Amino acid sequence: MWLDRFDKNSTVVTGRKQTLRAIRNGQTETVFIAKDAQQELIGEIEAACKAVGIRCQYADSMRQLGAAVGISVGASACAVLSST
C-alpha cells in the first residue's frame, strides 16, 4: 500500500502551494492527492504532474492523507521529495 512511502527517511511537503512548487522545481518523486479535495485543486495538481511526467496517486480522504504524513489535520495534497 502507498502509505509505506512515508517513512522516517522521506522528506514530504504538504498543501497546494508547497506541492506545486516541488513539482515545478523538479524535486518530486511522488505526488498524492486526496480524493475529497476541491476539484480545482485536484485539476491544478494533476495538470502540473502531467506537464512534467509524474504520476499522481490518490488517498481516499484528506484525513487519511494527513494521518499518513503525520499531521493532525487533513491534507489535500502532498509530495514526496526526491532523495537526490
Side-chain angles (χ1 to χ4, degrees), residues 12-31:
V12 180
V13 295
T14 59
R16 177 190 161 273
K17 287 181 184 180
Q18 288 185 333
T19 299
L20 286 170
R21 184 178 302 124
I23 294 166
R24 293 175 180 149
N25 289 338
Q27 300 171 312
T28 306
E29 181 180 296
T30 309
V31 171

mmCIF file of all heavy atoms in Angstrom, residues 12-31:
data_model
loop_
_atom_site.group_PDB
_atom_site.id
_atom_site.type_symbol
_atom_site.label_atom_id
_atom_site.label_comp_id
_atom_site.label_asym_id
_atom_site.label_seq_id
_atom_site.Cartn_x
_atom_site.Cartn_y
_atom_site.Cartn_z
ATOM 1 N N VAL A 12 8.731 15.065 3.013
ATOM 2 C CA VAL A 12 7.406 15.266 2.448
ATOM 3 C C VAL A 12 6.981 16.707 2.657
ATOM 4 O O VAL A 12 7.169 17.271 3.736
ATOM 5 C CB VAL A 12 6.377 14.328 3.131
ATOM 6 C CG1 VAL A 12 4.985 14.534 2.558
ATOM 7 C CG2 VAL A 12 6.798 12.872 2.987
ATOM 8 N N VAL A 13 6.417 17.318 1.605
ATOM 9 C CA VAL A 13 5.810 18.641 1.741
ATOM 10 C C VAL A 13 4.309 18.463 1.566
ATOM 11 O O VAL A 13 3.861 17.591 0.821
ATOM 12 C CB VAL A 13 6.371 19.668 0.734
ATOM 13 C CG1 VAL A 13 7.835 19.922 1.003
ATOM 14 C CG2 VAL A 13 6.161 19.223 -0.698
ATOM 15 N N THR A 14 3.538 19.274 2.278
ATOM 16 C CA THR A 14 2.086 19.149 2.212
ATOM 17 C C THR A 14 1.453 20.470 1.794
ATOM 18 O O THR A 14 2.039 21.534 1.959
ATOM 19 C CB THR A 14 1.492 18.736 3.575
ATOM 20 O OG1 THR A 14 1.831 19.712 4.543
ATOM 21 C CG2 THR A 14 2.008 17.381 4.008
ATOM 22 N N GLY A 15 0.254 20.351 1.261
ATOM 23 C CA GLY A 15 -0.510 21.525 0.865
ATOM 24 C C GLY A 15 -0.310 21.875 -0.595
ATOM 25 O O GLY A 15 0.635 21.437 -1.250
ATOM 26 N N ARG A 16 -1.231 22.636 -1.102
ATOM 27 C CA ARG A 16 -1.250 23.020 -2.518
ATOM 28 C C ARG A 16 0.002 23.753 -2.950
ATOM 29 O O ARG A 16 0.662 23.367 -3.908
ATOM 30 C CB ARG A 16 -2.488 23.881 -2.779
ATOM 31 C CG ARG A 16 -2.583 24.406 -4.175
ATOM 32 C CD ARG A 16 -3.704 25.451 -4.292
ATOM 33 N NE ARG A 16 -3.520 26.252 -5.470
ATOM 34 C CZ ARG A 16 -2.778 27.342 -5.516
ATOM 35 N NH1 ARG A 16 -2.151 27.774 -4.451
ATOM 36 N NH2 ARG A 16 -2.635 28.008 -6.640
ATOM 37 N N LYS A 17 0.339 24.842 -2.272
ATOM 38 C CA LYS A 17 1.463 25.676 -2.704
ATOM 39 C C LYS A 17 2.792 24.928 -2.677
ATOM 40 O O LYS A 17 3.558 24.972 -3.642
ATOM 41 C CB LYS A 17 1.570 26.931 -1.827
ATOM 42 C CG LYS A 17 0.495 27.949 -2.088
ATOM 43 C CD LYS A 17 0.705 29.159 -1.204
ATOM 44 C CE LYS A 17 -0.427 30.146 -1.377
ATOM 45 N NZ LYS A 17 -0.247 31.331 -0.524
ATOM 46 N N GLN A 18 3.063 24.249 -1.583
ATOM 47 C CA GLN A 18 4.344 23.549 -1.476
ATOM 48 C C GLN A 18 4.424 22.379 -2.446
ATOM 49 O O GLN A 18 5.485 22.118 -3.016
ATOM 50 C CB GLN A 18 4.570 23.070 -0.044
ATOM 51 C CG GLN A 18 4.869 24.201 0.911
ATOM 52 C CD GLN A 18 5.212 23.685 2.301
ATOM 53 O OE1 GLN A 18 4.780 22.618 2.712
ATOM 54 N NE2 GLN A 18 6.002 24.464 3.025
ATOM 55 N N THR A 19 3.316 21.682 -2.649
ATOM 56 C CA THR A 19 3.307 20.564 -3.593
ATOM 57 C C THR A 19 3.550 21.061 -5.013
ATOM 58 O O THR A 19 4.392 20.515 -5.736
ATOM 59 C CB THR A 19 1.978 19.783 -3.500
ATOM 60 O OG1 THR A 19 1.854 19.256 -2.174
ATOM 61 C CG2 THR A 19 1.923 18.656 -4.504
ATOM 62 N N LEU A 20 2.850 22.110 -5.411
ATOM 63 C CA LEU A 20 3.045 22.664 -6.755
ATOM 64 C C LEU A 20 4.472 23.182 -6.941
ATOM 65 O O LEU A 20 5.078 22.975 -7.993
ATOM 66 C CB LEU A 20 2.030 23.775 -7.028
ATOM 67 C CG LEU A 20 0.609 23.305 -7.298
ATOM 68 C CD1 LEU A 20 -0.354 24.491 -7.304
ATOM 69 C CD2 LEU A 20 0.528 22.540 -8.613
ATOM 70 N N ARG A 21 5.007 23.837 -5.944
ATOM 71 C CA ARG A 21 6.383 24.352 -6.022
ATOM 72 C C ARG A 21 7.372 23.203 -6.228
ATOM 73 O O ARG A 21 8.263 23.271 -7.063
ATOM 74 C CB ARG A 21 6.740 25.137 -4.767
ATOM 75 C CG ARG A 21 8.112 25.775 -4.829
ATOM 76 C CD ARG A 21 8.440 26.587 -3.585
ATOM 77 N NE ARG A 21 7.462 27.632 -3.363
ATOM 78 C CZ ARG A 21 6.751 27.779 -2.240
ATOM 79 N NH1 ARG A 21 6.940 26.968 -1.220
ATOM 80 N NH2 ARG A 21 5.877 28.750 -2.116
ATOM 81 N N ALA A 22 7.200 22.127 -5.471
ATOM 82 C CA ALA A 22 8.092 20.970 -5.592
ATOM 83 C C ALA A 22 7.987 20.329 -6.974
ATOM 84 O O ALA A 22 9.003 19.943 -7.564
ATOM 85 C CB ALA A 22 7.779 19.954 -4.500
ATOM 86 N N ILE A 23 6.772 20.224 -7.504
ATOM 87 C CA ILE A 23 6.573 19.652 -8.844
ATOM 88 C C ILE A 23 7.284 20.513 -9.880
ATOM 89 O O ILE A 23 8.056 20.014 -10.701
ATOM 90 C CB ILE A 23 5.075 19.538 -9.182
ATOM 91 C CG1 ILE A 23 4.386 18.526 -8.272
ATOM 92 C CG2 ILE A 23 4.880 19.163 -10.658
ATOM 93 C CD1 ILE A 23 2.865 18.587 -8.314
ATOM 94 N N ARG A 24 7.042 21.802 -9.838
ATOM 95 C CA ARG A 24 7.602 22.721 -10.839
ATOM 96 C C ARG A 24 9.114 22.844 -10.747
ATOM 97 O O ARG A 24 9.776 23.132 -11.735
ATOM 98 C CB ARG A 24 6.928 24.080 -10.716
ATOM 99 C CG ARG A 24 5.460 24.005 -11.118
ATOM 100 C CD ARG A 24 4.728 25.295 -10.906
ATOM 101 N NE ARG A 24 3.335 25.154 -11.308
ATOM 102 C CZ ARG A 24 2.327 25.800 -10.775
ATOM 103 N NH1 ARG A 24 2.533 26.669 -9.799
ATOM 104 N NH2 ARG A 24 1.101 25.610 -11.199
ATOM 105 N N ASN A 25 9.670 22.609 -9.561
ATOM 106 C CA ASN A 25 11.123 22.687 -9.379
ATOM 107 C C ASN A 25 11.822 21.361 -9.664
ATOM 108 O O ASN A 25 13.032 21.251 -9.499
ATOM 109 C CB ASN A 25 11.464 23.149 -7.955
ATOM 110 C CG ASN A 25 11.133 24.601 -7.737
ATOM 111 O OD1 ASN A 25 11.038 25.379 -8.677
ATOM 112 N ND2 ASN A 25 10.950 24.982 -6.486
ATOM 113 N N GLY A 26 11.064 20.349 -10.035
ATOM 114 C CA GLY A 26 11.646 19.057 -10.364
ATOM 115 C C GLY A 26 12.163 18.294 -9.161
ATOM 116 O O GLY A 26 13.029 17.436 -9.290
ATOM 117 N N GLN A 27 11.624 18.569 -7.987
ATOM 118 C CA GLN A 27 12.091 17.941 -6.756
ATOM 119 C C GLN A 27 11.244 16.736 -6.344
ATOM 120 O O GLN A 27 11.549 16.094 -5.358
ATOM 121 C CB GLN A 27 12.048 18.950 -5.609
ATOM 122 C CG GLN A 27 12.892 20.170 -5.820
ATOM 123 C CD GLN A 27 12.632 21.211 -4.750
ATOM 124 O OE1 GLN A 27 11.479 21.525 -4.445
ATOM 125 N NE2 GLN A 27 13.702 21.741 -4.181
ATOM 126 N N THR A 28 10.203 16.443 -7.084
ATOM 127 C CA THR A 28 9.197 15.492 -6.632
ATOM 128 C C THR A 28 9.440 14.088 -7.153
ATOM 129 O O THR A 28 9.686 13.879 -8.328
ATOM 130 C CB THR A 28 7.804 15.965 -7.084
ATOM 131 O OG1 THR A 28 7.630 17.295 -6.615
ATOM 132 C CG2 THR A 28 6.719 15.096 -6.542
ATOM 133 N N GLU A 29 9.317 13.138 -6.241
ATOM 134 C CA GLU A 29 9.379 11.718 -6.589
ATOM 135 C C GLU A 29 7.973 11.179 -6.808
ATOM 136 O O GLU A 29 7.712 10.471 -7.770
ATOM 137 C CB GLU A 29 10.064 10.976 -5.444
ATOM 138 C CG GLU A 29 10.234 9.496 -5.643
ATOM 139 C CD GLU A 29 10.932 8.889 -4.449
ATOM 140 O OE1 GLU A 29 12.099 9.232 -4.208
ATOM 141 O OE2 GLU A 29 10.289 8.072 -3.759
ATOM 142 N N THR A 30 7.052 11.493 -5.909
ATOM 143 C CA THR A 30 5.683 11.008 -5.960
ATOM 144 C C THR A 30 4.742 12.078 -5.431
ATOM 145 O O THR A 30 5.095 12.803 -4.506
ATOM 146 C CB THR A 30 5.518 9.746 -5.077
ATOM 147 O OG1 THR A 30 6.531 8.810 -5.410
ATOM 148 C CG2 THR A 30 4.163 9.106 -5.273
ATOM 149 N N VAL A 31 3.557 12.167 -6.009
ATOM 150 C CA VAL A 31 2.544 13.123 -5.561
ATOM 151 C C VAL A 31 1.293 12.358 -5.152
ATOM 152 O O VAL A 31 0.878 11.414 -5.826
ATOM 153 C CB VAL A 31 2.202 14.139 -6.671
ATOM 154 C CG1 VAL A 31 0.998 14.985 -6.300
ATOM 155 C CG2 VAL A 31 3.394 15.017 -6.967
#
